[in-house]
Amino acid sequence: MTDLGPELLELEVGNVANGGFCVARHEGRVIFVRHALPGERVRARVTDRARNFLRADAVEILEASPDRVEPPCPFAGPGRCGGCDWQHASLPAQRRMKAAVVEEQLQRVAGITRTVTVEEVPYPVDDEVVPPPGLGWRTRVQFAVQDGMVGLRKHRSHDIEPVDECLIAHPGVELMGIERKRWPGATSVEGVVSGATGDRLVVLRGARKARVPRLDVPVRLVRGKPEPGQSLPYVREQVSGRLYQVSGSGFWQVHPGAAQLLADAVVEALEPRPGDIALDLYCGVGLFAGVLGEKVGRDGLVVGVESDAQAVRDAKFNLRDLPQVSVERGSVDEVIKDLEFGRADEPSARSQNKRGTGHRGGSRVRGADIVVLDPPRAGAGREVVGHIARLATRKIAYVSCDPATLARDLGYFSERGWTLESLRAFDAFPMTQHVECLATLVKG
């Protein structure tokens, strides 16, 4: 038998845990095990010791789960690339494990009991190249560079696993040939492709004199972080017939089917009506503001709030044909403090904030009929939730990529009289631990 190294433990693997691990126990200590599946018996090498738990990698499978498959990627496995968590599990098993994580977080953090089904995100059928299920979906891939060589970070490490192909990268990213080139002077190279339009972009970080090799297909190039006001190359995305430009490495859903699916799901959840006032927090380049603006019409109002200057510029460009949509630049926790709306009896209620636009105060201040928020992984937090609970009057749609912070914030909403009406979960990140959720809340 090959020497498997020191600190090996034989473990009976238990339930899945948040973070791409399964839970095991050894001599009373909790061990979070990667590369294992629930119900397996494994030999695991300890990789990290904390006061109350250990981390370990399963390096030998003694009794395999029926859900185990051969990882399709040659760079996946213990001590290798950290980009994927579940390549060794079948896709149905991955979705069941993600559902179990969401259920556990809701129950443990928020006291909410809910049966969750993780839905597949369909790959657009009109794409020229449709990859195998679970692969070829990531339209934005950031590669690390070390001594000119491209790779991906190992799990919980700054070390790089050199790769010549990433199987979860969109075919349009792979066509650029980034992994097969050398990038002297760079610290990272991000390949960006639009699944809708085929636009391609490379974002290069590192020394200004970093050499750019000739890529296999034409691309536009962005170097480093833009100066204030600088116009950046962009890719064009399309949702519900509307084009959105996304500059540089700006935020957009990475699965080519996710933006349309989430836009439709948010509209279905919020049921916007003509004349509604809507609030879109952490609005990015205006995805949800755009679809809501179409629904509320010229007699309605949509206010987006976003902190990133380039995203705000993109959003204003993307929504320039919708006069009922405005976008405020600033951090949500600051802007929302002073955000209120005009009198309910005004022909067209306008937003009011500390910048002094619109009508201030009055005896009948109207709230936002509907609110959508799509915060970063850290979530919204208690203070922002409190302001949303104050402003919203009918429905709230909370889009989240982190079940733990979603559950925490749902608990805060519950304290303020808002109830979870429905919850959907989407497998927008196959082969990884990540899952996208949409929680719909109503008052009372």
Side-chain angles (χ1 to χ4, degrees), residues 395-422:
K395 278 195 171 185
I396 299 169
Y398 189 145
V399 181
S400 171
C401 61
D402 190 292
T405 56
L406 172 65
R408 179 203 67 197
D409 288 348
L410 291 180
Y412 296 155
F413 275 114
S414 178
E415 293 171 1
R416 290 158 176 80
W418 287 84
T419 302
L420 181 63
E421 179 183 60
S422 65

Side-chain angles (χ1 to χ4, degrees), residues 115-133:
T115 300
V116 175
T117 299
V118 175
E119 305 172 35
E120 180 183 3
V121 178
Y123 206 94
V125 294
D126 55 349
D127 273 24
E128 293 182 3
V129 179
V130 177

Side-chain angles (χ1 to χ4, degrees), residues 35-364:
H35 310 290
L37 294 175
E40 292 188 327
R41 188 165 63 88
V42 304
R43 283 196 179 95
R45 178 183 290 115
V46 175
T47 58
D48 189 29
R49 294 179 178 271
R51 174 177 295 182
N52 298 319
F53 62 88
L54 305 177
R55 293 188 179 91
D57 284 346
V59 294
E60 184 179 2
I61 310 304
L62 303 176
E63 293 180 10
S65 164
D67 293 321
R68 178 171 285 276
V69 298
E70 185 69 23
C73 177
F75 304 108
R80 305 294 301 277
C81 173
C84 293
D85 307 285
W86 298 120
Q87 289 225 6
H88 56 286
S90 68
L91 285 171
Q94 291 180 35
R95 293 176 190 137
R96 290 196 302 271
M97 289 189 292
K98 294 178 186 187
V101 168
V102 176
E103 291 174 359
E104 189 271 339
Q105 293 293 311
L106 290 175
Q107 176 61 51
R108 183 176 62 83
V109 179
I112 297 172
T113 301
R114 185 68 54 120
T115 300
V116 175
T117 299
V118 175
E119 305 172 35
E120 180 183 3
V121 178
Y123 206 94
V125 294
D126 55 349
D127 273 24
E128 293 182 3
V129 179
V130 177
L135 303 178
W137 53 267
R138 193 171 186 93
T139 58
R140 287 158 168 76
V141 183
Q142 183 168 323
F143 298 96
V145 181
Q146 191 172 59
D147 298 327
M149 182 177 294
V150 164
L152 294 166
R153 301 284 183 190
K154 298 181 180 181
H155 182 65
R156 293 177 57 84
S157 173
H158 293 294
D159 294 340
I160 293 175
E161 175 77 18
V163 300
D164 55 20
E165 182 183 18
C166 175
L167 291 187
I168 65 171
H170 188 278
V173 173
E174 284 303 309
L175 281 174
M176 299 182 200
I178 292 172
E179 307 100 301
R180 297 180 290 279
K181 311 292 183 181
R182 292 190 64 82
W183 299 82
T187 57
S188 72
V189 182
E190 183 175 6
V192 180
V193 65
S194 167
T197 66
D199 292 347
R200 298 184 184 93
L201 188 67
V202 165
V203 182
L204 183 67
R205 296 179 179 87
R208 300 294 295 180
K209 295 182 180 180
R211 184 170 64 82
V212 181
R214 181 182 294 275
L215 295 179
D216 296 344
V217 293
V219 298
R220 285 174 278 184
L221 180 70
V222 180
R223 282 184 179 270
K225 191 171 181 179
E227 299 297 327
Q230 179 182 342
S231 178
L232 288 179
Y234 56 85
V235 297
R236 296 164 300 160
E237 303 285 357
Q238 187 171 35
V239 171
S240 299
R242 175 176 292 276
L243 281 174
Y244 294 82
Q245 76 171 31
V246 186
S247 294
S249 58
F251 175 78
W252 188 262
Q253 289 289 331
V254 293
H255 192 295
Q260 184 68 64
L261 180 62
L262 285 169
D264 292 342
V266 165
V267 169
E268 181 181 343
L270 291 178
E271 300 176 298
R273 307 165 187 169
D276 270 350
I277 294 178
L279 186 58
D280 180 4
L281 302 176
Y282 315 92
C283 71
V285 301
L287 170 62
F288 298 130
V291 293
L292 292 177
E294 300 275 5
K295 297 295 183 181
V296 304
R298 296 297 179 98
D299 291 330
L301 172 68
V302 179
V303 178
V305 182
E306 170 60 45
S307 62
D308 183 80
Q310 187 62 52
V312 170
R313 287 192 288 271
D314 282 344
K316 289 182 176 181
F317 176 82
N318 295 334
L319 309 174
R320 64 195 182 283
D321 62 318
L322 298 174
Q324 65 270 35
V325 179
S326 65
V327 181
E328 298 286 345
R329 182 191 170 191
S331 63
V332 168
D333 57 344
E334 289 297 325
V335 173
I336 200 171
K337 290 177 182 177
D338 299 309
L339 191 64
E340 59 185 30
F341 299 91
R343 292 174 183 265
D345 55 354
E346 289 181 347
S348 180
R350 311 309 297 172
S351 69
Q352 167 61 45
N353 60 34
K354 61 187 178 183
R355 293 163 179 79
T357 60
H359 174 83
R360 174 175 289 280
S363 58
R364 285 181 288 176

